[in-house]
């Protein structure tokens, strides 16, 4: 039984002794003396009840260990001595001396757990490995292996699922790599084809420009020839028109001369007729 519970027992007995008869008080006092005479059980391992990750705090401190809250210190001899020296229960991880302490159940084969220190040596097997009842008052059977079977089976299934998922993921990664390499090759091919197409397009553009320039030169040449032809025709037509004008004018002059001669003949005829009449 822990010192914490013993102190509570002593206080309860003193209160009870004041409220009962002398005979009853004597009986209670006798039981109290017998109860107080029992030696407190302490763990043989001074680091009992300490989780593995915290052992270095106690072992590295040397003979003098500081309470975690900084309020006090204690020696290694005071560690798990069933007397609370630190308000935060740093010195009593394996006993129930400090009300606010926590006890670590290793539970090999199952899941480790923490208990309130008040449940240490309380007559009930709280840890599946029975480590919380080390005073010998209660014999606890280690049931961690049985209790952990379901958890192990579940863990095995999770591991199998993980392995299956990892295999599937590996396959997916390999397929993705192949697809990526294929896409990369296709992209390179398209880029090369794009370069070729760009070259062809440029060649077509150059060819088109050459054709357009040739057509433009041909058009200009044709316009030039048509213009020269037109000018030649106009020049030729201009010469004939001059000949026609000269001929028309000559004809006009000839006609005028003939008209003048006819008028003279007519006048001479009139004169002749007049002369004949006179005669």
């Amino acid at each position: 039984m822990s010192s914490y519970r013993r102190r509570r027992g002593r206080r309860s007995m003193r209160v009870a002794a004041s409220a009962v008869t002398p005979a009853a008080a004597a009986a209670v006092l006798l039981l109290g003396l017998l109860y107080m005479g029992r030696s407190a059980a302490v763990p043989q391992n001074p680091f009992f009840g300490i989780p593995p990750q915290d052992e270095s705090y106690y072992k590295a401190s040397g003979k003098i260990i500081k309470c975690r809250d900084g309020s006090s210190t204690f020696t290694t001899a005071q560690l798990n001595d069933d007397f609370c020296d630190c308000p935060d229960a740093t010195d009593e991880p394996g006993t129930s001396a400090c009300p606010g302490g926590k006890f670590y159940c290793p539970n090999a084969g199952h899941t480790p757990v923490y208990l309130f220190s008040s449940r240490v040596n309380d007559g009930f097997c709280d840890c599946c490995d029975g480590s919380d009842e080390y005073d010998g008052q209660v014999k606890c059977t280690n049931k961690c292996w049985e209790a952990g079977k379901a958890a192990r089976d579940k863990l095995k299934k999770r591991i199998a699922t993980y392995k299956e998922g990892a295999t599937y993921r590996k396959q997916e990664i390999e397929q993705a790599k192949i697809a990526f390499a294929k896409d990369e090759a296709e992209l390179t091919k398209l880029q090369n084809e794009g370069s070729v197409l760009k070259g062809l397009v440029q060649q077509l553009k150059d060819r088109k420009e050459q054709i357009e320039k040739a057509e433009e030169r041909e058009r200009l040449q044709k316009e030039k020839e048509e213009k020269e032809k037109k000018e030649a025709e106009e020049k030729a037509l201009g010469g004939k028109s001059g000949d026609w004008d000269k001929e028309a004018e000559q004809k006009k002059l000839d006609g005028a001369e003939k008209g003048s001669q006819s008028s003279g003949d007519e006048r001479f005829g009139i004169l002749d007729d007049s002369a004949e009449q006179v005669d």
Side-chain angles (χ1 to χ4, degrees), residues 1-10 35 38 40 82:
M1 188 68 66
S2 70
S3 59
Y4 174 70
R5 285 197 292 273
R6 288 198 302 276
R7 288 192 294 272
R8 291 185 61 187
R10 287 195 294 270
Y35 181 82
R38 296 176 57 187
D82 202 31

Side-chain angles (χ1 to χ4, degrees), residues 37-253:
R38 296 176 57 187
S39 60
V42 295
Q44 295 180 354
N45 181 6
F47 300 102
F48 192 69
I50 300 174
Q53 65 270 19
D54 291 343
E55 286 185 3
S56 59
Y57 177 81
Y58 293 89
K59 293 179 179 180
S61 299
K63 293 183 178 181
I64 302 300
I65 305 172
K66 182 182 290 187
C67 300
R68 287 185 180 273
D69 62 1
S71 60
S72 182
T73 59
F74 59 96
T75 65
T76 53
Q78 292 175 296
L79 177 62
N80 280 333
D81 65 347
D82 202 31
F83 186 83
C84 191
D85 299 290
C86 296
D88 62 355
T90 305
D91 63 312
E92 298 299 320
T95 71
S96 59
C98 297
K102 291 290 183 68
F103 178 81
Y104 175 77
C105 300
N107 291 345
H110 194 29
T111 306
V113 296
Y114 287 90
L115 300 177
F116 287 108
S117 60
S118 59
R119 299 174 70 176
V120 176
N121 291 325
D122 63 349
F124 295 94
C125 301
D126 299 295
C127 301
C128 66
D129 61 359
S131 58
D132 60 310
E133 300 297 324
Y134 56 82
D135 63 354
Q137 299 298 317
V138 178
K139 186 176 182 180
C140 298
T141 305
N142 191 332
K143 299 179 180 179
C144 289
W145 187 256
E146 295 177 3
K149 186 177 183 303
R152 287 193 302 274
D153 291 341
K154 186 177 180 180
L155 181 60
K156 287 179 180 179
K157 289 181 180 179
R158 289 180 62 184
I159 291 173
T161 303
Y162 172 78
K163 288 182 177 179
E164 183 180 356
T167 302
Y168 179 75
R169 182 181 179 185
K170 185 177 180 180
Q171 293 175 354
E172 290 291 321
I173 291 173
E174 293 298 326
Q175 293 178 1
K177 286 181 179 179
I178 294 172
F180 178 78
K182 184 178 179 180
D183 292 342
E184 190 175 19
E186 185 69 19
L187 178 60
T188 303
K189 181 181 177 182
L190 291 173
Q191 289 176 344
N192 294 333
E193 290 179 353
S195 301
V196 173
L197 290 173
K198 286 181 180 179
L200 292 175
V201 170
Q202 188 60 42
Q203 291 178 8
L204 291 173
K205 287 183 178 180
D206 296 341
R207 181 61 179 166
K208 181 181 177 183
E209 290 178 359
Q210 292 175 2
I211 293 172
E212 289 177 349
K213 289 179 181 179
E215 289 178 347
E216 182 66 16
R217 287 195 300 269
E218 185 178 354
R219 184 183 66 78
L220 293 174
Q221 183 66 26
K222 187 175 181 180
E223 288 181 354
K224 182 179 180 182
E225 290 176 355
E226 289 179 354
K227 184 177 181 182
E228 290 177 352
K229 182 179 179 181
K230 185 176 180 181
E231 289 176 353
E233 289 177 353
E234 289 178 353
K235 186 175 181 181
L237 290 172
K240 289 180 180 181
S241 177
D243 293 341
W244 290 341
D245 292 342
K246 289 179 180 179
E247 186 177 353
E249 190 170 350
Q250 186 63 37
K251 287 180 179 180
K252 186 177 180 181
L253 290 174

Side-chain angles (χ1 to χ4, degrees), residues 262-277:
S262 297
S263 297
D265 291 343
E266 288 176 359
R267 285 196 297 272
F268 290 147
I270 295 172
L271 290 175
D272 288 344
D273 291 341
S274 297
E276 289 179 0
Q277 289 178 4

